[in-house]
Amino acid sequence: MSLNAALAQRLEDIARMMDLTGEDTFKAIAHSRAARAIDALPPDVATLDKKQLLEIEGIGQKIADKIVEFVQHGHIKEHDELRAKVPPGLLEMMTIPGLGPKTVRSIWQTLDITTLPALKKALDDGSILTVPRMGQKAADKIKASIALTEQGAQRMALGLALPIAQRIVERMKKVKGVKEAAYAGSLRRGRETVGDLDILVSTTDPIAATKAFTTMPGVVSVIASGETRSSIRLAVAEDVGRWEAEGQRGDAFTGPSIQADLRIIPPASWGAALMYFTGSKDHNIRLRGHALDQGLTLNEYGLFPEDKSKTPPQDRGIEPVASKTEEEIYARLGFPWIPPELREDRGELSLKETPRLIELADIKCELHAHTTASDGSMSIEELAALAKAHGYHTIAVTDHSKSSVQANGLSVDRLLTHVEAVRKAAEKAKGITILAGSEVDILADGRLDYEDKVLKQLDVVVASPHTALSQEPEVATKRLLAAIRHKYVHILGHPTGRLINRRAGLSPDIATLIAAAKEHHVALELNAHWMRLDLRDTHLRAAVEASCLISINCDTHAPGDMDNIVYGVMTARRGWVTPALCINAWGAKKLDAWLKAKR
DNA sequence: GCCGTTTTCGGCCCGACTGTTTTCAGTCG
């Protein structure tokens, strides 16, 4: 775990323990906000002095002192003191959906329950019912929620969630009375994982839409169902690398599932609702603040004049000043339209105009792909045909190097034979450039898996770490720096080696890598596979600020893999990547000149 | 605890749904 992540965890724990001890809620919120700010921070906090810390939004004198204390001593006194007061099991209890600080505190003080097993016992023997405001229904819900958490319900990867959401949207569009349907939430913002699916529908027949939603195939339970909102759990099943909603299941279903929420939106409020439910929460809070500054109030029904009344304006027949489209609401507040991927309260409201971020149509080549020579499923010709079908001008054949034994990596002899075959295919190919390259292993000590005289013969070299992915951050930084500084390396492939929800990967000092990559004209890869998305959004943002080159690649092994570019582009946009900085968006000539400059 | 183009004090986003109440607290997003 990186220092930033460890610190963010401490601050978040402080916030949660404050909730539990009945401390001022706003104090807890402030710590929680600071935790998120630290978590999204590209530079290592240890490299920042107090003055720089204070420049970060949401960090003031007190929290800055706590950060300095953590960096210098490895712990925070206030954290230690709270830990002494608050049993650790309570924090675990609070991770159960539906169990908030008030309820956990109430259970703690009434029954002296401080662990999850003790809570389960109280739920089973009925003693939980002696807690104030705790009835049988609430107890049943908590019980079901614990069961769900224990079976490992975690945030679903973007690449698994998006196809499911798209299918639900298509289904809802066919329901009688439905005018518009769309997905929102973190999925629309392109986050690497999503907790649930937010589906928005505007319709003349809310009852039909609600019924269609709560009874569609795959629904295992209906969590809530009202006039404007319904929540369900959907069973999902693996299907050729994707997950999809399965057929109807009984109550006993305990397999993987995801929550989906339906919101019924009045057509006149479509833009306001889309904005509201797209979030992020922090972006919305920031926007509302700006609205209040201008004597306006913003909710999911629109932007209204603020008049301090307790009854919401839409319930008093007050006309919004903007509500139909996102564009008009942003414009009325004095902002350009902000692309969903940017709405994370990371400075996007300082933009004077909508930035020209990278788009799917900008991608013109794939520079990291495998064939049957190593662990891919396509021949050179099939790979080239696929790239051509995607409208690309160039495809790079980059099979694994010799140390990747598990991936049938190529010995020097096999590589040279393979390069011959690639060159022959390139001569015959029409309308596409085929490059001979390698995805060469960066060995644990930073050396590359082939000698220089071999690498020199290749058109493109992608250097990637595949083993020793638990190295200490300092060792990993040195290792990757060595690869970046290597004179024949073009691209640093999936730099951290992480696998979402499965493997943390390396935690190198990203700022150092970015500076070196910039200096040595090396592109940092954003591996577009939804299991990787490596580099991640915050790293990319730091790279963009340093004008470092980015390469978005699908790491293609099989025909469907090139479609993962969607997730790469979404992630790149979250990192504010522009077409100019993305070498895959360059024309063939510019790319060729850049590649040859290293030979 | 943070923050400030009316503020260094007094605010801090806002609404839906559920369950336990009988007018509202808690949680979520």
Side-chain angles (χ1 to χ4, degrees):
Chain A
M1 189 190 288
S2 70
L3 188 69
N4 289 18
L7 172 60
Q9 185 66 57
R10 291 288 197 295
L11 291 172
E12 185 61 30
D13 283 352
I14 289 176
R16 297 285 75 83
M17 290 189 285
M18 282 175 164
D19 282 335
L20 286 168
T21 51
E23 182 71 78
D24 177 21
T25 338
F26 292 112
K27 242 168 109 169
I29 290 172
H31 281 82
S32 199
R33 264 195 67 185
R36 284 200 301 277
I38 294 297
D39 204 34
L41 203 65
D44 196 304
V45 278
T47 64
L48 303 178
D49 59 27
K50 194 174 165 191
K51 187 164 161 287
Q52 290 168 310
L53 288 172
L54 287 171
E55 284 169 8
I56 299 168
E57 189 82 43
I59 293 179
Q61 288 290 341
K62 296 247 180 78
I63 292 184
D65 284 338
K66 288 175 203 177
I67 294 173
V68 171
E69 183 188 357
F70 180 73
V71 169
Q72 289 178 349
H73 302 111
H75 63 98
I76 300 170
K77 189 160 161 261
E78 187 178 14
H79 183 258
D80 300 339
E81 287 167 0
L82 280 165
R83 290 274 307 239
K85 258 193 275 182
V86 181
L90 298 183
L91 291 177
E92 191 190 358
M93 282 162 65
M94 269 175 66
T95 62
I96 305 295
L99 266 187
K102 299 276 169 53
T103 311
V104 169
R105 183 159 193 245
S106 182
I107 293 170
W108 176 27
Q109 301 198 323
T110 311
L111 296 171
D112 198 30
I113 283 172
T114 59
T115 65
L116 200 50
L119 172 63
K120 280 158 72 175
K121 190 159 166 287
L123 283 164
D124 285 338
D125 66 21
S127 58
I128 193 81
L129 298 172
T130 59
V131 173
R133 298 190 62 84
M134 180 65 66
Q136 191 59 51
K137 277 192 171 177
D140 289 346
K141 276 199 157 181
I142 294 169
K143 220 168 160 175
S145 194
I146 291 175
L148 200 60
T149 304
E150 286 185 338
Q151 94 192 10
Q154 55 191 353
R155 292 179 63 90
M156 184 180 279
L158 175 64
L160 301 176
L162 189 61
I164 298 174
Q166 285 169 334
R167 274 183 217 131
I168 297 175
V169 167
E170 287 315 307
R171 172 176 284 268
M172 293 309 295
K173 277 183 177 168
K174 288 178 191 147
V175 175
K176 182 168 74 78
V178 169
K179 290 188 154 40
E180 289 186 89
Y183 58 82
S186 50
L187 187 64
R188 183 164 177 244
R189 301 201 310 280
R191 272 193 64 175
E192 62 193 36
T193 59
V194 300
D196 56 21
L197 308 175
D198 293 300
I199 309 295
L200 268 49
V201 156
S202 82
T203 178
T204 53
D205 190 348
I207 294 170
T210 302
K211 183 156 184 285
F213 185 74
T214 55
T215 60
M216 78 176 130
V219 174
V220 285
S221 66
V222 178
I223 302 161
S225 183
E227 284 176 31
T228 65
R229 203 191 105 193
S230 300
S231 292
I232 56 172
R233 280 210 81 83
L234 269 180
V236 289
E238 207 159 0
D239 168 43
V240 288
R242 296 291 187 278
W243 297 47
E244 63 177 8
E246 280 203 327
Q248 194 73 43
R249 304 284 202 125
D251 286 337
F253 179 78
T254 54
S257 61
I258 187 167
Q259 182 170 329
D261 296 341
L262 177 76
R263 318 276 177 165
I264 310 271
I265 313 296
S269 305
W270 183 254
L274 197 54
M275 261 173 91
Y276 183 84
F277 292 112
T278 297
S280 67
K281 194 176 169 182
D282 290 335
H283 177 83
N284 284 352
I285 289 172
R286 182 76 58 190
L287 271 180
R288 280 162 198 275
H290 283 283
L292 288 175
D293 290 346
Q294 298 174 40
L296 299 166
T297 179
L298 178 65
N299 63 28
E300 60 263 54
Y301 294 97
L303 186 62
F304 297 88
E306 167 69 20
D307 56 12
K308 305 277 176 201
S309 167
K310 277 192 178 161
T311 312
Q314 68 275 8
D315 293 348
R316 290 178 283 133
I318 294 177
E319 282 297 309
V321 296
S323 68
K324 289 189 182 66
T325 68
E326 290 189 337
E327 286 81 356
E328 71 172 19
I329 297 167
Y330 278 112
R332 185 62 183 74
L333 287 169
F335 299 110
W337 179 74
I338 306 291
E341 296 91 340
L342 266 47
R343 301 181 195 171
E344 295 291 348
D345 191 25
R346 293 178 187 161
E348 66 276 11
L349 291 178
S350 302
L351 289 166
K352 297 285 176 272
E353 56 187 37
T354 304
R356 171 62 169 91
L357 302 175
I358 188 110
E359 294 166 7
L360 201 54
D362 292 323
I363 302 294
K364 292 284 190 289
C365 60
E366 161 79 346
L367 299 175
H368 182 170
H370 301 266
T371 69
T372 48
S374 62
D375 61 348
S377 70
M378 290 176 285
S379 67
I380 300 166
E381 289 78 9
E382 286 166 339
L383 182 62
L386 182 67
K388 201 176 160 185
H390 275 256
Y392 293 168
H393 60 63
T394 299
I395 175 79
V397 177
T398 58
D399 279 296
H400 286 285
S401 62
K402 62 180 195 285
S403 290
S404 277
V405 178
Q406 76 294 341
N408 190 23
L410 278 57
S411 66
V412 173
D413 285 347
R414 284 181 63 212
L415 173 67
L416 295 178
T417 309
H418 189 46
V419 167
E420 278 299 302
V422 172
R423 301 234 189 270
K424 274 194 186 137
E427 274 174 31
K428 285 188 199 157
K430 293 212 169 64
I432 184 123
T433 302
I434 310 176
L435 300 176
S438 171
E439 182 187 17
V440 57
D441 267 41
I442 305 171
L443 306 178
D445 60 4
R447 283 179 302 125
L448 297 187
D449 202 18
Y450 293 128
E451 290 179 24
D452 287 3
K453 63 180 182 192
V454 175
L455 294 174
K456 196 182 176 184
Q457 300 177 47
L458 303 171
D459 302 324
V460 55
V461 172
V462 179
S464 312
H466 287 107
T467 51
L469 295 174
S470 312
Q471 284 176 324
E472 288 301 312
E474 301 77 37
V475 183
T477 305
K478 273 188 191 161
R479 173 190 189 184
L480 298 177
L481 265 182
I484 289 171
R485 288 172 178 156
H486 192 288
K487 58 185 172 182
Y488 295 137
V489 169
H490 294 99
I491 297 169
L492 184 66
H494 48 72
T496 75
R498 68 132 171 202
L499 292 178
I500 290 171
N501 281 348
R502 280 170 54 190
R503 180 169 77 201
L506 302 170
S507 305
D509 182 349
I510 295 292
T512 303
L513 297 187
I514 289 169
K518 166 88 179 145
E519 184 188 344
H520 295 275
H521 308 288
V522 165
L524 299 179
E525 184 178 73
L526 158 52
N527 193 293
H529 198 290
W530 50 266
M531 276 170 60
R532 292 190 182 271
L533 295 177
D534 176 14
L535 293 173
R536 66 182 65 192
D537 55 1
T538 50
H539 295 156
L540 295 164
R541 176 79 187 278
V544 167
E545 289 193 351
S547 299
C548 178
L549 295 176
I550 305 293
S551 184
I552 311 177
N553 295 310
C554 291
D555 198 347
T556 303
H557 285 73
D561 290 351
M562 263 190 208
D563 298 330
N564 285 326
I565 191 68
V566 175
Y567 311 116
V569 169
M570 284 173 114
T571 303
R573 290 168 64 84
R574 290 179 61 81
W576 299 40
V577 173
T578 61
L581 285 177
C582 177
I583 64 174
N584 305 72
W586 291 356
K589 221 172 151 182
K590 185 173 177 184
L591 178 70
D592 185 56
W594 178 75
L595 289 169
K596 290 213 167 91
K598 290 242 171 192
R599 289 293 173 270

